[in-house]
Amino acid sequence: INHTVSAGETGLTKIVKEISPAVVTVFRYNMNKQVTGMGSGFFISKEGQLITNHHVLAGAFYAEVKTINGDIYPITRIVAESKTADLLKVVVDIPENKVKWLILKDTLPLIAERVIVIGTPLGLEHTVTEGIVSAVRFIPGRGEFFQMSAPISQGSSGGPVMNTKGDVTGISTFIMYMGQNLNFAVSSREIGNLTDDINLSLSEWALGESRNHPGMAEKLCENDVSFTVEGKTQKALEYYRDKTTKMPKDHM
């Protein structure tokens, strides 16, 4: 394992130095290659598999990641998702010798356990915060989450939450604005529940997602541009035909 902190090392500085190369900023683009949002993510294998939040890439027709040293690589495939746990596993087109990845812990953190978070809050790349686990909660219909005092903000979504050994215990997911230090992460155990049963390009996946969102057809036709991402014209035509049949009032 090429990134684990050695047993004799202690302190936030050494841990963060080891794990930061595995954490990326995720940029989301529309079909006109305009940035529509950003979030965070992290590699979990040398093959370039990356974990982020489902909502980070929702509606994206193109996406790429930026590493700590400034290199940029495209997200090419969607391989697994969980809307309920807000998780997405994707593949990044990155050389194996450039990948640093993190280890997933398969147990829930303890209350008062110290945690470290790396992400891109409000566009501030590779921001590090730390705190403790405030509570562990099971949200019916969604899965295992935990509350933490480590601050996160918009853009932190999808970033790793780690213990003091550098292992991933959770993924930054959402905050509650009606209070202070109400920050939540989905347990890393939920990543283990993902099934790699998807093999779609990002544009194909976005096309399928749009079927479940009335009004998305308007976005696909924005500025009178035909949906031709990756040359999937026939798929676009099939979608439009299906859309107008099932939802005739959802005009394009």
Side-chain angles (χ1 to χ4, degrees), residues 135-146:
V136 176
R137 306 185 186 281
F138 178 80
I139 301 178
R142 293 201 62 185
E144 296 175 332
F145 291 75
F146 58 87

Side-chain angles (χ1 to χ4, degrees), residues 83-101:
K83 294 181 182 179
T84 55
D86 196 14
L87 290 175
L88 200 64
K89 184 191 293 186
V90 305
V91 175
V92 177
D93 186 10
I94 179 175
E96 284 192 9
N97 64 349
K98 296 289 187 178
V99 179
K100 301 293 183 181
W101 69 95

Side-chain angles (χ1 to χ4, degrees), residues 117-184:
V117 178
I118 299 182
T120 308
L122 302 178
L124 301 173
E125 299 176 12
H126 281 82
T127 294
V128 179
T129 60
E130 56 98 16
I132 63 169
V133 174
S134 306
V136 176
R137 306 185 186 281
F138 178 80
I139 301 178
R142 293 201 62 185
E144 296 175 332
F145 291 75
F146 58 87
Q147 182 182 333
M148 59 186 178
S149 64
I152 58 176
S153 301
Q154 183 178 3
S156 299
S157 296
V161 180
M162 295 150 293
N163 60 21
T164 54
K165 294 182 179 179
D167 298 329
V168 178
T169 61
I171 302 92
S172 299
T173 303
F174 66 94
I175 61 177
M176 294 184 68
Y177 291 100
M178 302 296 289
Q180 294 182 336
N181 276 339
L182 298 180
N183 312 292
F184 291 83

